[in-house]
Amino acid sequence: MSILTSGVVGILGAVLIALPADAANLQFWRFDQQESRLTFTTDTQVRPKAQLIFNPTRLVIDLPETQVTSSNTRQRLQEGLQEVRVGQLDAQTARIVIELAPGYTLDPQQVQVRGETSRRWFVQLPELTRNNAAPRPRQSPSPTQTANQVQTADTPETSTDNTQIRSIVATADGFFIRVTGKAPEVRLSRSRPRRRDPERTITLELRDSSIAPGLTANSLPNNRYSIESWDISQSNSAVLITMTLGEDSPDWRTISTEISSSFRGIAVLPDGVAIRDIPDSAPRDNMPVPSDSVANRPSRDTSPEQVSPRPSRNTFPDELPRVNQRRIVVAIDPGHGGRDPGAVGIGGLQEKQVILPISQQVAAILREQGVEVVMTRNRDIELDLDPRVRVAERADADLFVSIHANAINLSRPDVNGLETYYYSNAGSRFARTVHDTVLRAMGMPDRRVRQARFYVIRRTSMPAILVEVGFVTGAEDIHNLRDPEWRSRMANAIARGILTHIQNEF
């Protein structure tokens, strides 16, 4: 089973948490045969469930509590893959089917179901293999096998009864400890900080268990969701998993779950706090701590919209910084586009409708101030993530800025504000400068600077940030995002932040 980190859950691993009450809409999907990758987006959070079914061989991805609104329902394929089709399995479930050509199969353990965000997902297929035996003829489902009762692929791990801790990954809801074999008995204990040892820890004792050989310290999701580190040790017949909690960490709880006889584990979830409101921890030795001190951070009882007093607007002089001392190249990346609308908010406002004009104005302002700009797209076209990265790399850009609009469930119009994401050390400084500049100019709620593993900021070699300029689902932000004058002011603020960073760092 291949499982990735940072909001990533492996095949069958995304059904751990209760689904949102409001139905989602499947807005966009596309299969890139060259990359063997399916991309799909929804307007609210979803939890995909994937399984391999035979006769004929096909990978099925079910989206519970989801309606199909995409006009595209079928895509013909070749070279071992027959087609992809999308439809409504029942009134509550959307289904995406990737059907293999006769005589081909794949290893279900190598399928990766990856959440770039809670609304944008990727399904990465492994290399297909040709069956040695002739393919079985297509058969009609038996009376006991309906569309809701499909077979899942058997895996080599089903034969063992010994409990092994296979992996610990960060997901879109918290963490997931995957085990194989018997379901373990879990005992949870919490340490109390003392003067000599101020750290808070939570220890999970998994009895009659062992650590799988492939589980190493380098694969643990340290510094995610305010968990500074994970430690795993073997104590006689028990495995001890210790979470060291950061200063912003809430309490955590565990839920044991079993999806199939070969796939079970323990979900580790925040207690009483939304996962999106938990910041990542910075590594103590080499990751700079953001400039705002812990003392100035809000308590977990404070809503995001009350994080800090709103600064007054237009607190900058009219003149923008100029950059003439050397050639500086900035890559501007307007999110989504074309058939991919991005988030869809109140009144049907699409993210791509907001982001492209803001991005174009940012580029124009930077060019006026002597900065060379390359845009990943300058019109309403669909563009995958890797080509966006390649545009910046080919241009040998000094900085990368991806611009997006945020969204949450439509039942949460109270959530509004600015978020800025980074991945690297240099990106942290860049994000803080741009974020603070925009806050001062726009006077909007501060939803903080956060570390994340978004593809475009993780795979670019230059300092890179992703700016979420507001929520298309927010009652306050929606009015601003629809306002061309407000969007112009936002573009000016982002450009000013970029120019300020250039003056400080170059």
Side-chain angles (χ1 to χ4, degrees), residues 257-276:
T257 184
E258 180 172 344
I259 299 170
S260 70
S261 61
S262 63
F263 195 99
R264 55 174 60 93
I266 303 160
V268 183
L269 309 175
D271 193 1
V273 181
I275 193 70
R276 66 177 296 115

Side-chain angles (χ1 to χ4, degrees), residues 223-274:
N223 305 302
R224 290 303 318 277
Y225 302 138
S226 291
I227 302 300
E228 293 183 349
S229 64
W230 293 75
D231 182 72
I232 303 181
S233 60
Q234 188 80 48
S235 176
N236 297 323
S237 61
V239 173
L240 301 179
I241 302 176
T242 300
M243 308 160 56
T244 300
L245 279 59
E247 294 180 358
D248 284 336
S249 177
D251 196 11
W252 295 80
R253 58 190 174 91
T254 61
I255 298 176
S256 295
T257 184
E258 180 172 344
I259 299 170
S260 70
S261 61
S262 63
F263 195 99
R264 55 174 60 93
I266 303 160
V268 183
L269 309 175
D271 193 1
V273 181

